Amino acid sequence: MAQTSFPCPGLAVKCGKVEEVETQEEGCLRKPPPMFDYHGIDQDLIQEMVYDSLVWSSLHGLLVGDKSAQRSGKVPGVGLVHAPFALLPVPFPESHWTQACELAPIFSELVDRVSLDGKFLQDSLSRTKKADSFTSRLLDIHSKMLEINKKEEIRLGLHRSDYMLDEQTKLLLQIELNTISSSFPGLSCLVSELQRSLLNQHGEDLGLDPKRIPSNTAVSHFVEAFAKAWNEYNNPRAVVMFVVQAEERNMYDQHWLSAVLNERYPFCVYDTLPLCEKTYGASKIAYGGGKAIAVVYFRAGYTPNDYPSESEWRARLLMEQSSAIKCPSISYHLAGTKKIQQELAKPNVLERFLDNKEDIAKLRECFAGLWSLDDSDIVEKAIEKPELFVMKPQREGGGNNIYGVDVRETLQRLQKEGTDGNAAYILMQRIFPTVSPTFLMRDGICHKDHAISELGIYGAYLRNKDKVIMNDQCGFLMRTKISSSDEGGVAAGFAVLDSIYLT
C-alpha cells in the first residue's frame, strides 16, 4: 500500500562512485523528522558500508537466485545474488512494536477457532466461490473434508500478520493475515544480523545503537514448531516435508529452515518436494519418497500457478485426507483469505470466536476499513475517490492488488457486467504510512530514496485436541519499498528486506 511522496534527490553507489538519481512524484505527505541526517552521511562511509554489507551477505547466505541466470531457481548454488535489502533499519515506535507482538498469539488463536467453523467458512465464501475458480477449488476440498467429518486433531499454524503505521491517526493497522507460505523467516533473521553488524562497526559515526535492533527469532521458532509437531504425531520413522514450487529463486529462505531443522533435529527432517500427485500415497498416512510424512509444510499451493493440472489438485486432496499435520490445513488456508478478513471485521463477528473482551478490543483496534463490494455506498465512494481505497482479490503474493484510477475503472466495469464478479474482491481502506529516507540495496547497487515500510509479525501455533502446545510471537519481517510503488512483495520485485530500529 505504497503512497505518494515528495521530490527528493536519490543516491546511487556503483563501482565505487556516487551517482545522483532524481525521483519526481506528485502528492506529498508530511515529511517526518529523520532518525538521523541521511543527507549528512559521509559518502566514503556509505561506500564502505555498501561494500561491507555485500561481503557479509555473501558470507552469511543472505541470497536469492539471480533472475538473469537461467538455472538459478532450479539448481542450488547456481546463479546467486544477494537478497534485496535496506542498508539501515527503519525507525519504529517501540510502543507499536510491542502492540504488534502482543497481537500475534491472539490472531493465531482466532485462526484456529475460525478453522473449526466449517459453516462460517463455506457461507462467507459462497459468493466468492462463484466468482473465483481458485477459491472454488479450495472450498471443494474443504467440503469433502466436512462430508467425511475429517478432524484435524493436531493443528499447526505458522502465520504472519502484516501492518502499516498510519501517519495521520498514528494507528497500527493490519494489512492482511497470512496463513499459508508465510515467507522470509530465514532471510529476515539475516537482515537483522546484517544491520546490527553494520551498526556495531559504524554506529558511533551514525549516532545509532545496535542494541535498538530487536532480536529476530523466526527461524528457531519455526524449527521448534516443526519439531514439536513431529513429536505430537508420534511416529519416529515419519518425516517433515516441505512442499515447494518447482522453480524458486527464494529457495535459500526455505533451505535455512530445513538446514537448521536438520542440524537440531536430524531424526525428523526430509527433503523438499513439488506439489504432485504421484509423490504422495493414497492411504490415510501420507507418503513421500517412500517415507511416512508427519508434517507437510506448504511453501507452494497458494496460487493458481501451483496447480497447472488436475494432478496437483489430487495431491492436495490426498494430503488433506491423510493423517499428516498440514501447515496449513485447508481450513487454516481458507481462514486467511481476504474475504474472511473482511467478514471478521464486521460488528459482532469476532465475538462468535473469541471470549476475551480485551483480546477482541485489541484486534478491532488494528482493523483497517474493510468492505464487501455489495455495499453500494462504499463502492460509489471508491469510484469518486479511488486513491483512498485498495481493491484486493483472493490471492496471495505480490502484484495482485488494484490501486488508483484502476480501482475506479474496475468497479465501473463490474457494475456494467452486473454479474457475481464483484464477489472476487474486497475493498480496503488505503493506509498512508510515514515516508522516510532510506538506502536500498539491489543487485549490488545502493539507491537513496524515500520509502515506506510494512511490518510482518510471525506467529507459531500448535494444538493437539484441547491442549495448546505452542502459541508464540516468533520474529518479524520488515519490508521497505520506494513510496511511489503500490505493491510490496520482495520476491515479486517490489520491495527490499529490512529490519527495525526501536524509537
Side-chain angles (χ1 to χ4, degrees):
M1 292 168 200
Q3 317 309 325
T4 52
S5 180
F6 36 85
C8 66
L11 174 73
V13 179
K14 185 178 182 180
C15 300
K17 64 180 181 179
V18 176
E19 301 173 351
E20 290 297 323
V21 179
E22 295 289 337
T23 58
Q24 298 292 329
E25 303 164 20
E26 297 178 354
C28 301
L29 293 177
R30 181 176 65 83
K31 183 179 180 180
M35 180 172 61
F36 59 95
D37 183 11
Y38 275 78
H39 298 287
I41 301 178
D42 182 76
Q43 302 303 305
D44 291 336
L45 175 58
I46 295 173
Q47 294 189 33
E48 183 179 351
M49 291 174 62
V50 167
Y51 184 86
D52 290 346
S53 68
L54 293 174
V55 171
W56 194 100
S57 299
S58 301
L59 294 176
H60 292 82
L62 182 53
L63 302 167
V64 294
D66 185 350
K67 62 183 177 183
S68 66
Q70 185 177 2
R71 300 166 66 211
S72 67
K74 303 175 182 178
V75 183
V78 175
L80 302 179
V81 66
H82 71 86
F85 62 87
L87 200 61
L88 294 171
V90 176
F92 199 83
E94 189 167 4
S95 60
H96 287 103
W97 161 253
T98 301
Q99 177 191 359
C101 292
E102 290 176 347
L103 284 168
I106 305 174
F107 271 117
S108 290
E109 184 66 34
L110 176 63
V111 168
D112 189 66
R113 300 281 184 90
V114 171
S115 75
L116 298 176
D117 195 331
K119 186 177 187 304
F120 174 79
L121 290 172
Q122 287 286 333
D123 290 350
S124 298
L125 292 164
S126 59
R127 288 196 64 238
T128 305
K129 180 176 183 176
K130 298 177 182 178
D132 187 287
S133 59
F134 179 64
T135 304
S136 177
R137 295 299 299 265
L138 296 176
L139 282 167
D140 286 344
I141 294 175
H142 183 251
S143 294
K144 288 183 172 67
M145 298 306 101
L146 293 178
E147 289 172 7
I148 64 174
N149 197 30
K150 179 72 165 60
K151 302 293 185 183
E152 298 295 331
E153 293 183 339
I154 306 174
R155 302 189 291 278
L156 173 63
L158 294 173
H159 309 140
R160 195 188 72 231
S161 184
D162 296 335
Y163 306 91
M164 277 184 173
L165 184 55
D166 185 62
E167 169 64 15
Q168 183 175 3
T169 64
K170 305 300 181 185
L171 293 175
L172 187 74
L173 299 178
Q174 187 185 52
I175 307 298
E176 64 181 355
L177 179 62
N178 303 275
T179 60
I180 184 170
S181 187
S182 299
S183 60
F184 291 113
L187 298 190
S188 65
C189 291
L190 292 175
V191 173
S192 298
E193 292 181 26
L194 165 62
Q195 293 182 344
R196 193 178 296 110
S197 174
L198 291 174
L199 293 195
N200 279 327
Q201 188 173 355
H202 305 290
E204 188 172 340
D205 295 327
L206 297 168
L208 299 175
D209 180 2
K211 295 179 181 178
R212 300 304 295 171
I213 298 178
S215 61
N216 200 339
T217 60
V219 168
S220 60
H221 271 85
F222 272 43
V223 166
E224 181 186 3
F226 290 139
K228 287 186 174 181
W230 177 90
N231 188 64
E232 292 299 316
Y233 189 77
N234 198 27
N235 180 349
R237 291 180 171 273
V239 297
V240 175
M241 184 182 68
F242 290 17
V243 177
V244 301
Q245 293 173 336
E247 298 183 16
E248 175 60 273
R249 291 179 56 240
N250 194 31
M251 69 169 73
Y252 305 102
D253 179 60
Q254 301 164 8
H255 283 308
W256 268 110
L257 293 175
S258 59
V260 174
L261 181 65
N262 190 34
E263 181 179 287
R264 295 186 186 176
Y265 308 99
F267 48 82
C268 69
V269 72
Y270 189 49
D271 204 349
T272 54
L273 290 172
L275 187 63
C276 181
E277 179 188 10
K278 62 184 178 182
T279 306
Y280 309 101
S283 67
K284 289 184 179 180
I285 298 176
Y287 286 91
K291 299 181 180 181
I293 300 169
V295 180
V296 178
Y297 173 50
F298 286 99
R299 286 297 291 262
Y302 57 87
T303 169
N305 296 334
D306 291 336
Y307 303 85
S309 71
E310 286 300 309
S311 177
E312 287 76 21
W313 284 112
R314 286 192 293 266
R316 183 70 187 270
L317 177 61
L318 285 172
M319 283 185 284
E320 205 62 37
Q321 291 172 327
S322 78
S323 62
I325 302 167
K326 277 74 68 175
C327 183
S329 65
I330 192 67
S331 55
Y332 267 41
H333 187 167
L334 292 171
T337 57
K338 307 297 187 297
K339 180 61 180 176
I340 295 300
Q341 181 186 5
Q342 180 251 313
E343 288 291 320
L344 291 172
K346 288 181 176 180
N348 303 316
V349 175
L350 286 178
E351 285 80 359
R352 176 170 177 169
F353 303 103
L354 299 176
D355 302 319
N356 189 302
K357 293 182 179 180
E358 290 185 7
D359 288 349
I360 291 171
K362 288 178 180 178
L363 295 184
R364 285 221 169 93
E365 186 180 358
C366 77
F367 283 170
L370 294 156
W371 303 276
S372 164
L373 267 63
D374 293 334
D375 188 331
S376 58
D377 290 338
I378 207 69
V379 168
E380 289 305 315
K381 289 180 181 177
I383 291 174
E384 181 182 351
K385 294 184 176 181
E387 69 278 4
L388 299 181
F389 297 85
V390 180
M391 280 187 73
K392 291 189 167 188
Q394 307 300 320
R395 292 290 180 273
E396 300 299 328
N400 297 304
N401 295 336
I402 301 172
Y403 299 87
V405 294
D406 292 337
V407 171
R408 175 187 292 132
E409 293 175 358
T410 304
L411 289 173
Q412 290 176 333
R413 175 179 59 80
L414 291 171
Q415 284 182 333
K416 290 181 180 178
E417 291 175 354
T419 64
D420 288 322
N422 62 355
Y425 302 89
I426 66 165
L427 273 170
M428 183 174 179
Q429 163 195 352
R430 188 163 184 171
I431 302 168
F432 293 88
T434 298
V435 179
S436 303
T438 193
F439 297 99
L440 308 172
M441 293 291 303
R442 190 182 291 275
D443 295 325
I445 302 173
C446 179
H447 296 279
K448 180 184 174 185
D449 213 321
H450 282 79
I452 59 174
S453 299
E454 181 176 321
L455 172 65
I457 299 291
Y458 295 109
Y461 186 92
L462 177 63
R463 187 183 194 111
N464 190 344
K465 299 179 182 176
D466 293 332
K467 182 181 179 182
V468 176
I469 297 158
M470 187 177 188
N471 187 11
D472 299 331
Q473 177 269 332
C474 56
F476 65 95
L477 165 68
M478 198 69 164
R479 286 170 293 181
T480 293
K481 59 191 176 184
I482 60 172
S483 54
S484 59
S485 172
D486 285 327
E487 290 288 355
V490 175
F494 301 105
V496 303
L497 297 169
D498 208 338
S499 189
I500 296 171
Y501 189 90
L502 297 177
T503 59

